[in-house]
Amino acid sequence: MGRGLVLISLGLRDELDMSLRALEEARSCERLYMEAYTTVLDTDPERVSRLIGKPVTEASRELLEENADRLLLEASKMRVGLIVGGDCLAATTHVALLVEDSKRRIPFRVVHGSSIYTAVSETGLSLYKFGRSVTMPLHGGADTPYNVVCENMSRGLHTLILLETDRKTGRHVHVGEAVERLLEAEERAGRGFLDEETLMVGAARIGSVDQKVLADRAGRLLKEDFGRPPHVLMVPGSLHFMEAEALKALAGCPEELLTRAARPRRSLADVVGRYLRSVDKVLGDVRSSRQALDERARRVLEEAERYFMDAKHYFDRGDLTTALSAVAYSEGLLDALRMIGLLEFEW
Amino acid sequence: MGRGLVLISLGLRDELDMSLRALEEARSCERLYMEAYTTVLDTDPERVSRLIGKPVTEASRELLEENADRLLLEASKMRVGLIVGGDCLAATTHVALLVEDSKRRIPFRVVHGSSIYTAVSETGLSLYKFGRSVTMPLHGGADTPYNVVCENMSRGLHTLILLETDRKTGRHVHVGEAVERLLEAEERAGRGFLDEETLMVGAARIGSVDQKVLADRAGRLLKEDFGRPPHVLMVPGSLHFMEAEALKALAGCPEELLTRAARPRRSLADVVGRYLRSVDKVLGDVRSSRQALDERARRVLEEAERYFMDAKHYFDRGDLTTALSAVAYSEGLLDALRMIGLLEFEW
């Protein structure tokens, strides 16, 4: 590749997190930029420049987002490198740049690097058990992060919440503030997913020598000082016993929190399972009570039985939401019969 | 840190993916091992050894999993480095090793690296929109991967499926086989999530010069040769228009697949929204028809109205599963009234 755009990941914290490939690619570029607004790093263009041995210009949001034409025009004439903190494609901004580049048929290369998305495994939580992740913005409510946490929790999955930092003002959402805003959102919604006793994991500066990782009850994290940004907050879903052990050993989690968290309070499978057992019991009771039913009531009862069987079928196949709607519908049919006085039973 | 264990990420493909920090840490170790069975790399202990300038011994599964005592005993006496492909904590094996290490109060350090978990962003799919990920094993069914795909899809989320490789035999699950097994699982379950027209994304050797990324219909990926392992398969959920554009530009996705995939066929919000609209309509019809109802039928109708209001409430707050169970229950109550002949309406 002669001319073209090279996206070069810097990795988690500073220039020593660059891979040998990243360094080699950077050294082969005629012009180098460093993007320093989507991530918070322990380095700056000057230090990176010293390592590479070539000048490195700081790239503003304006250059990359509104004025990308200029950058791509350069890349169409010479080899231009853009150094980005973390993994260079974790932020959609840089994917967008690559798309623009590719539309103009300008060659490109990508060098990947370490990223907070995988480095959170240092808490002891397993990567494959994270549901979707979400950012908590500096301004505005926490309803979206809260909803994502509830959605993941109800499936037993962990949530990674990235906490926003404003590089210009230095203001950032710290762990305690994020916990507070989640608890406020819980209070407004009243869904019963979170309270001060909920196990959460706060982390700061993962990958640097002074990183801090702490798993504890929300009420404790509220008051904990995690120091300099970047911070992230994780809300675990259900825990495999290996994860529980790891949280204790690697993130100082108090023992008593683990037994509780290991059994999720309300996983969807639990909810549907409970529904199924209770409808199953009622159908059994009704059958053995041999109540005299009129023709129409019998048809409704048969329908309830049919939907119950469907619900079990979907439940066994792991389609929990279809199972839920079928069993709730069946319950509605049964309750209507009971309320009208055509069938006697107790839940 | 004098003695202790250093987990050193090698990164995605070969020794050039090691960070400067990884290299520095490796050089400071008195003994070096390289784990070469949880990932498939384009390098080997010999080449890594040449780069570091120190001997590197291949570490077997046996040493790390069954005989970890020996390794930890060494780490309690000298500085031992374990080099691992990808990010060193992406596999739970190494988290478990760290937990054992920490229980014995042996110091440890972790150096992170690039990983497939983030490198998949090269397809154009946004990282934060991935639900939980899953591995498709060499042997056994594809029911778990299929269930994870359905679970994620019903929430509009993407799924990353890691495809297993047996390093000893060289056998691996290739993209085509993974697609085939997913379609077979769909056929058995019959849930209607996947067919040969479904957009999927296959990728092989991401991060190396001969990487291959291709987004196309399942029926096409079935027949595509992706070459050497490692392979991964992604099943996208709903697509942001930027993701659709990126899939086209970066993964060669045919235009006509994007318009379809951008609207998920069955997101949970869609399903619940449809239920709500249909119950809302029936309740409105019933109210305006001013049917004469006996006391008990009126009570059931009021109960149906109450549950409908609850369902709307939970829907607005994003608690889709609670909304679903409430609206399905409401529908059951209404249908029972209709079947018994106490209320007339049409869905």
Side-chain angles (χ1 to χ4, degrees):
Chain A
M1 189 173 101
R3 62 192 184 90
L5 179 67
V6 192
L7 285 187
I8 301 167
S9 301
L10 183 128
L12 274 170
R13 304 300 320 136
D14 64 35
E15 63 273 19
L16 292 182
D17 289 317
M18 286 177 81
S19 67
L20 298 171
R21 175 165 281 121
L23 192 61
E24 191 181 273
E25 289 283 351
R27 286 186 173 147
S28 80
C29 288
E30 286 171 75
R31 191 160 298 176
L32 283 168
Y33 293 96
M34 177 170 159
E35 184 272 285
Y37 67 88
T38 62
T39 50
V40 181
L41 299 168
D42 289 331
T43 185
D44 53 47
E46 205 183 308
R47 272 172 54 188
V48 174
S49 161
R50 242 176 289 145
L51 174 73
I52 297 170
K54 287 194 168 192
V56 174
T57 313
E58 182 161 337
S60 63
R61 181 187 293 270
E62 198 260 333
L63 176 69
L64 294 182
E65 296 185 5
E66 287 139 50
N67 217 347
D69 282 350
R70 221 188 76 204
L71 187 75
L72 294 175
L73 187 64
E74 280 183 12
S76 71
K77 293 178 185 156
M78 64 183 98
R79 195 184 300 196
V80 176
L82 176 63
I83 300 166
V84 179
D87 187 283
C88 58
L89 294 182
T92 49
T93 302
H94 307 116
V95 178
L97 187 65
L98 219 52
V99 169
E100 278 310 310
D101 179 282
S102 141
K103 278 185 187 166
R104 293 167 204 210
R105 304 185 180 283
I106 303 169
F108 67 84
R109 266 217 280 270
V110 175
V111 185
H112 292 284
S114 54
S115 159
I116 187 66
Y117 277 96
T118 43
V120 291
S121 54
E122 219 170 304
T123 57
L125 296 172
S126 295
L127 282 189
Y128 73 93
K129 280 181 60 191
F130 277 84
R132 73 179 297 177
S133 55
V134 66
T135 297
M136 188 174 292
L138 263 166
H139 308 289
D143 286 345
T144 301
Y146 173 73
N147 285 335
V148 171
V149 166
C150 294
E151 178 183 318
N152 286 334
M153 256 188 149
S154 69
R155 311 208 145 213
L157 302 177
H158 316 319
T159 308
L160 166 64
I161 309 172
L162 304 167
L163 306 182
E164 201 187 26
T165 301
D166 184 336
R167 287 264 309 174
K168 272 190 195 148
T169 63
R171 242 195 52 73
H172 68 103
V173 182
H174 50 84
V175 169
E177 185 185 339
V179 172
E180 198 177 343
R181 284 164 70 184
L182 282 182
L183 293 180
E184 283 167 7
E186 167 66 62
E187 204 151 307
R188 282 193 299 277
R191 279 194 241 155
F193 276 86
L194 307 176
D195 58 34
E196 293 214 351
E197 294 302 305
T198 306
L199 170 64
M200 298 190 183
V201 188
R205 303 172 303 284
I206 290 186
S208 66
V209 284
D210 69 339
Q211 73 174 28
K212 174 168 181 159
V213 177
L214 182 67
D216 211 323
R217 42 175 62 79
R220 162 87 195 283
L221 293 186
L222 266 177
K223 296 166 201 151
E224 186 72 23
D225 183 4
F226 279 80
R228 288 183 302 121
H231 291 187
V232 291
L233 178 67
M234 283 146 277
V235 184
S238 62
L239 296 174
H240 185 269
F241 76 93
M242 276 298 307
E243 290 181 292
E245 250 200 297
L247 276 179
K248 206 167 73 179
L250 307 179
C253 188
E255 181 85 41
E256 72 272 16
L257 278 181
L258 292 169
T259 41
R260 209 176 324 147
R263 265 173 271 117
R265 271 186 298 176
R266 302 202 315 178
S267 90
L268 187 56
D270 285 349
V271 172
V272 180
R274 211 159 50 222
Y275 268 117
L276 283 172
R277 280 191 298 279
S278 96
V279 173
D280 193 20
K281 180 191 156 293
V282 164
L283 289 174
D285 290 353
V286 166
R287 241 175 275 124
S288 60
S289 72
R290 298 173 177 278
Q291 299 174 46
L293 294 180
D294 78 9
E295 170 69 20
R296 290 171 308 183
R298 222 198 53 237
R299 269 181 44 220
V300 176
L301 180 61
E302 281 167 8
E303 191 75 356
E305 278 171 339
R306 209 154 27 236
Y307 271 84
F308 169 71
M309 296 305 292
D310 282 358
K312 278 217 305 198
H313 170 92
Y314 286 113
F315 184 76
D316 291 343
R317 270 153 196 74
D319 185 354
L320 295 175
T321 52
T322 307
L324 177 63
S325 70
V327 74
Y329 178 78
S330 174
E331 213 178 88
L333 292 174
L334 290 169
D335 261 345
L337 286 181
R338 190 171 55 99
M339 292 170 78
I340 295 166
L342 292 174
L343 192 66
E344 273 179 40
F345 64 84
E346 272 176 26
W347 287 111
Chain B
M1 190 173 101
R3 64 191 183 91
L5 179 68
V6 192
L7 284 187
I8 302 168
S9 302
L10 183 129
L12 274 170
R13 304 299 322 137
D14 64 34
E15 63 274 18
L16 292 182
D17 289 316
M18 284 176 83
S19 67
L20 299 171
R21 175 165 281 122
L23 193 60
E24 190 181 88
E25 289 283 352
R27 285 183 173 150
S28 81
C29 288
E30 286 171 75
R31 191 160 297 176
L32 283 168
Y33 293 96
M34 177 169 159
E35 185 272 283
Y37 66 88
T38 62
T39 50
V40 181
L41 299 168
D42 290 331
T43 186
D44 53 45
E46 204 185 307
R47 272 173 54 190
V48 174
S49 162
R50 240 176 290 144
L51 173 73
I52 296 171
K54 287 194 168 191
V56 174
T57 312
E58 184 162 335
S60 63
R61 182 188 292 270
E62 198 260 333
L63 176 69
L64 295 182
E65 296 186 6
E66 288 139 48
N67 217 348
D69 281 350
R70 220 187 77 205
L71 188 75
L72 294 176
L73 186 65
E74 280 184 11
S76 70
K77 294 178 186 157
M78 63 183 98
R79 195 185 298 196
V80 176
L82 176 64
I83 301 166
V84 179
D87 186 284
C88 58
L89 295 183
T92 48
T93 301
H94 308 117
V95 178
L97 187 65
L98 219 52
V99 169
E100 278 310 309
D101 180 281
S102 140
K103 279 186 187 165
R104 293 165 205 211
R105 304 186 179 285
I106 303 169
F108 67 83
R109 268 217 278 269
V110 175
V111 185
H112 291 283
S114 55
S115 159
I116 187 67
Y117 277 95
T118 42
V120 292
S121 54
E122 219 170 301
T123 58
L125 297 172
S126 295
L127 282 190
Y128 72 93
K129 280 182 61 192
F130 277 84
R132 71 179 297 177
S133 55
V134 66
T135 297
M136 188 173 292
L138 263 166
H139 309 289
D143 286 345
T144 301
Y146 172 73
N147 286 335
V148 170
V149 166
C150 294
E151 178 183 318
N152 286 333
M153 255 187 149
S154 69
R155 311 207 146 212
L157 303 177
H158 316 319
T159 308
L160 166 63
I161 308 173
L162 304 167
L163 306 182
E164 202 188 23
T165 302
D166 182 338
R167 286 263 308 172
K168 273 189 195 148
T169 62
R171 249 206 31 84
H172 67 104
V173 182
H174 51 84
V175 169
E177 186 186 337
V179 173
E180 199 178 342
R181 285 165 70 185
L182 282 182
L183 294 180
E184 283 166 8
E186 168 67 61
E187 205 150 304
R188 282 194 299 277
R191 280 194 238 155
F193 277 86
L194 307 176
D195 59 34
E196 292 213 353
E197 294 302 305
T198 305
L199 169 64
M200 297 190 184
V201 188
R205 303 172 303 284
I206 291 187
S208 66
V209 284
D210 70 338
Q211 72 174 31
K212 173 167 182 161
V213 177
L214 182 67
D216 211 322
R217 43 175 62 79
R220 163 87 195 284
L221 293 186
L222 266 178
K223 297 167 200 149
E224 186 73 22
D225 182 4
F226 280 80
R228 288 182 304 120
H231 290 186
V232 291
L233 178 66
M234 282 145 278
V235 184
S238 62
L239 296 174
H240 186 269
F241 76 93
M242 275 298 306
E243 290 181 293
E245 249 199 297
L247 277 178
K248 206 167 73 180
L250 307 178
C253 187
E255 181 84 42
E256 72 273 16
L257 278 182
L258 292 169
T259 40
R260 209 175 325 145
R263 266 174 271 117
R265 273 187 295 177
R266 302 204 313 182
S267 90
L268 186 57
D270 284 350
V271 171
V272 180
R274 211 160 50 222
Y275 268 119
L276 283 173
R277 280 191 298 279
S278 96
V279 173
D280 194 21
K281 179 191 157 292
V282 164
L283 289 174
D285 289 354
V286 166
R287 242 176 274 123
S288 60
S289 72
R290 298 175 177 275
Q291 298 174 45
L293 294 180
D294 79 10
E295 170 68 20
R296 290 171 308 180
R298 224 199 51 235
R299 270 180 44 219
V300 176
L301 180 61
E302 280 168 9
E303 191 76 354
E305 278 171 338
R306 208 154 28 233
Y307 271 83
F308 169 71
M309 296 304 292
D310 281 358
K312 279 216 306 196
H313 170 92
Y314 286 113
F315 185 77
D316 292 343
R317 269 153 196 74
D319 185 354
L320 296 175
T321 53
T322 308
L324 177 63
S325 70
V327 74
Y329 178 79
S330 174
E331 212 178 271
L333 292 173
L334 290 168
D335 261 346
L337 286 181
R338 189 172 54 98
M339 291 169 78
I340 296 166
L342 293 174
L343 192 66
E344 273 179 40
F345 65 84
E346 274 176 24
W347 289 111

